Amino acid sequence: MSKTIFERIRDREIPASIVFEDEDVIAFRDIDPQAPIHILLTPKRVIPRINEALSSDKELLGTLLLKAAEIARNQGLAENGYRLVINNGPDGGETVPHLHCHILGGRTMKWPPG
Ligand code: AMP
């Protein structure tokens, strides 16, 4: 199966503005930012979407959320707040089938989302 675009970023086959990386996850700036700070955090190991996550992914999913909060804090977003978004499937607005968490901040978010 062909690689997802985020695997290609992980493998340095295409450029990205990487803000964090460890053995489990990689975070980089969204190419089409929807807020002053818009970072994508994705597991290095592909889970297509949250709907396909298994109980064996529990630790990785916990890592993803805790790391998202850490990155938000490091980006100076903790005081004013920020939004974490995971899109799932066509109605959810998912366009890349490689689980990722959007970290959005630097402006006031609206509710409901579009
Ligand atoms: P989603 O719609 O939730 O699947 O999010 C996919 C996100 O990936 C979108 O916000 C895109 O702007 C972003 N994106 C697509 N290609 C790239 C890329 N090469 N580098 C960084 N972000 C990308």
Side-chain angles (χ1 to χ4, degrees):
M1 232 169 69
S2 63
K3 285 183 179 180
T4 69
I5 197 153
F6 297 162
E7 286 178 284
R8 297 188 65 209
I9 289 172
R10 176 198 68 191
D11 296 343
R12 304 303 198 272
E13 293 171 4
I14 57 172
S17 175
I18 294 169
V19 298
F20 178 82
E21 180 175 23
D22 66 12
E23 62 184 356
D24 297 317
V25 299
I26 182 166
F28 46 89
R29 295 193 187 277
D30 197 292
I31 204 167
D32 181 22
Q34 302 301 311
I37 294 177
H38 187 173
I39 292 167
L40 302 174
L41 174 63
T42 187
K44 287 188 167 177
R45 173 167 68 77
V46 180
I47 300 169
R49 59 194 58 80
I50 193 66
N51 195 52
E52 264 111 276
L54 304 172
S55 57
S56 55
D57 297 319
K58 194 187 296 185
E59 190 172 337
L60 183 57
L61 295 176
T63 297
L64 197 74
L65 278 182
L66 290 170
K67 193 54 74 177
E70 185 182 314
I71 290 169
R73 282 195 298 276
N74 290 342
Q75 293 287 322
L77 298 176
E79 190 176 339
N80 283 347
Y82 55 90
R83 182 171 289 174
L84 304 181
V85 173
I86 296 175
N87 295 324
N88 188 99
D91 278 1
E94 173 202 312
T95 59
V96 177
H98 183 159
L99 178 66
H100 51 282
C101 178
H102 296 255
I103 303 165
L104 295 145
R107 68 168 171 83
T108 303
M109 303 294 154
K110 293 186 170 64
W111 193 263

